Amino acid sequence: MNIKKLMELSQKPQLFERNKTLFWDDPHISKKMLEAHLNPDWDAASRKMSTIDKSVEWLNEDVFSKKDIKVLDLGCGPGLYASRLAKLSYSITGIDYSQRSINYAQKEATENNLDIKYIYQNYLTIDFEAEFDVIMLIFCDFGALTNEERDILLKKIYKALKPGGIFVFDVFTDRNRDKDVLSRSWEITEDGFWNEKPYLALTETFLYPEDDTLLDQTIVMTEDGETKIYRLFNHFYTKATITNVLDEFGFKDHSYYSDVTGKRYSKKSKTLAVVTRK
Ligand SMILES: C[S@@+](CC[C@H](N)C(=O)[O-])C[C@H]1O[C@@H](n2cnc3c(N)ncnc32)[C@H](O)[C@@H]1O
């Protein structure tokens, strides 16, 4: 084990300093991720199934205005929302850049006779014009974007929405800023999330207080000397900061909730869900 290299790797990186290591589309990680998505009781890759059911009920009853609308689900994962919404007769397109999740979602749709269009694509490259009544981005992926990526995506979403169309999404709030989230942990395992080989993983959370961003950094070392580093950044927002961003891109009539089940907005909530309009 090269301790000097390990010490270098474990330093706090620059804000949003990413590397090229595959994460969502890594063959092993995406397999473990799919298991996490599909575990009904985990709030990990997707929310628990009971929460997803409540979200879909809220979207169907309180957010979507009518049935004959076109919905685009960005970062749809294995289609847990898309399939439920399709069963309620909405016309759905799902986009994700995990090939494994898209394959699973497509297979499920075919087996259940659901007419859903799934696309394997980076959602930062979408190019639709006035095509959707609703665009959704669920489970706080908005915060994983740099400010530049966020701005690109908001422009693309605005363009892709029909006039009056809505964008529904959620973010982590500044309630995640507490010092107690700044943890360090390690894991040694033969059959873990990060690698198909036995590994030692060192995880540390860093806070970038000036940019309202948290980083979960994991260094994964296998016996053969291979070392990989995974960095998951997430920018958190307040009602005020997200409002400024949405105003800047022309969105209007923002409504705020504590989460995507439509729970009443509270300053104390760790998540904030927003419904906003073109
Ligand atoms: C936390 S999961 C949430 C999945 C789904 N929205 C849910 O709540 O069940 C994030 C998903 O977004 C996808 N994703 C992340 N960044 C993406 C991008 N730039 N383009 C397309 N998909 C992306 C990942 O592959 C993953 O399936």
Side-chain angles (χ1 to χ4, degrees):
M1 186 184 297
N2 185 335
I3 298 291
K4 195 158 174 258
K5 184 173 173 203
L6 200 53
M7 287 181 74
E8 276 165 27
L9 286 177
S10 56
Q11 297 305 306
K12 182 180 182 178
Q14 297 289 315
L15 181 72
F16 280 104
E17 184 184 335
R18 297 183 181 133
N19 55 21
K20 297 226 171 335
T21 319
L22 278 181
F23 178 66
W24 293 109
D25 222 4
D26 173 86
H28 175 78
I29 293 177
S30 68
K31 191 166 136 210
K32 291 288 182 185
M33 190 69 79
L34 183 58
E35 285 170 23
H37 279 297
L38 301 179
N39 187 315
D41 304 317
W42 281 2
D43 257 330
S46 293
R47 292 206 168 85
K48 287 191 285 214
M49 296 296 173
S50 55
T51 310
I52 295 177
D53 287 337
K54 271 199 215 162
S55 277
V56 170
E57 193 180 316
W58 174 63
L59 293 170
N60 179 42
E61 290 177 7
D62 298 334
V63 181
F64 299 174
S65 51
K66 47 191 165 88
K67 285 280 176 192
D68 59 337
I69 57 171
K70 283 184 78 178
V71 180
L72 174 63
D73 185 3
L74 298 176
C76 61
L80 302 175
Y81 294 82
S83 55
R84 284 164 172 76
L85 290 168
K87 283 179 190 154
L88 291 166
S89 304
Y90 294 104
S91 161
I92 315 282
T93 301
I95 292 185
D96 201 287
Y97 70 5
S98 160
Q99 185 69 67
R100 191 181 296 276
S101 280
I102 286 290
N103 290 350
Y104 175 90
Q106 189 61 68
K107 186 165 163 277
E108 279 291 297
T110 308
E111 283 173 10
N112 290 290
N113 251 326
L114 296 172
D115 185 18
I116 305 174
K117 184 171 181 190
Y118 284 113
I119 307 172
Y120 171 63
Q121 185 184 351
N122 182 341
Y123 52 58
L124 295 175
T125 66
I126 58 169
D127 191 18
F128 300 103
E129 191 161 352
E131 204 166 320
F132 295 97
D133 301 276
V134 173
I135 298 183
M136 43 195 259
L137 177 61
I138 289 186
F139 214 179
C140 302
D141 286 317
F142 190 82
L145 304 171
T146 63
N147 289 352
E148 291 73 29
E149 290 166 340
R150 175 198 68 197
D151 294 354
I152 289 170
L153 186 63
L154 283 174
K155 274 190 206 150
K156 286 177 178 283
I157 288 174
Y158 196 87
K159 186 175 165 201
L161 283 171
K162 294 179 186 170
I166 58 174
F167 175 39
V168 189
F169 67 105
D170 55 355
V171 288
F172 290 118
T173 67
D174 58 343
R175 287 287 159 160
N176 297 280
R177 182 197 277 271
D178 313 359
K179 285 278 177 289
D180 60 8
V181 300
L182 298 182
S183 59
R184 281 175 153 183
S185 61
W186 60 272
E187 178 195 24
I188 185 157
T189 177
E190 285 194 340
D191 176 32
F193 176 83
W194 295 104
N195 204 297
E196 73 276 18
K197 294 177 245 168
Y199 66 76
L200 167 67
L202 308 173
T203 300
E204 181 163 5
T205 305
F206 297 99
L207 176 68
Y208 298 75
E210 63 291 1
D211 283 288
D212 289 350
T213 299
L214 281 170
L215 162 66
D216 284 323
Q217 172 165 278
T218 302
I219 302 168
V220 180
M221 286 160 289
T222 46
E223 247 174 359
D224 49 14
E226 185 186 64
T227 303
K228 286 189 178 171
I229 187 155
Y230 298 90
R231 292 184 180 141
L232 300 177
F233 288 93
N234 209 295
H235 183 92
F236 44 85
Y237 289 86
T238 61
K239 192 173 165 185
T241 57
I242 198 68
T243 301
N244 284 341
V245 174
L246 293 172
D247 287 350
E248 191 187 326
F249 287 89
F251 289 92
K252 55 185 191 215
D253 302 340
H254 326 304
S255 318
Y256 305 91
Y257 306 86
S258 283
D259 60 32
V260 280
T261 66
K263 195 168 154 201
R264 222 164 75 108
Y265 168 74
S266 156
K267 262 190 183 166
K268 292 188 182 151
S269 174
K270 290 203 165 191
T271 58
L272 169 66
V274 185
V275 179
T276 185
R277 194 172 293 280
K278 176 171 176 176

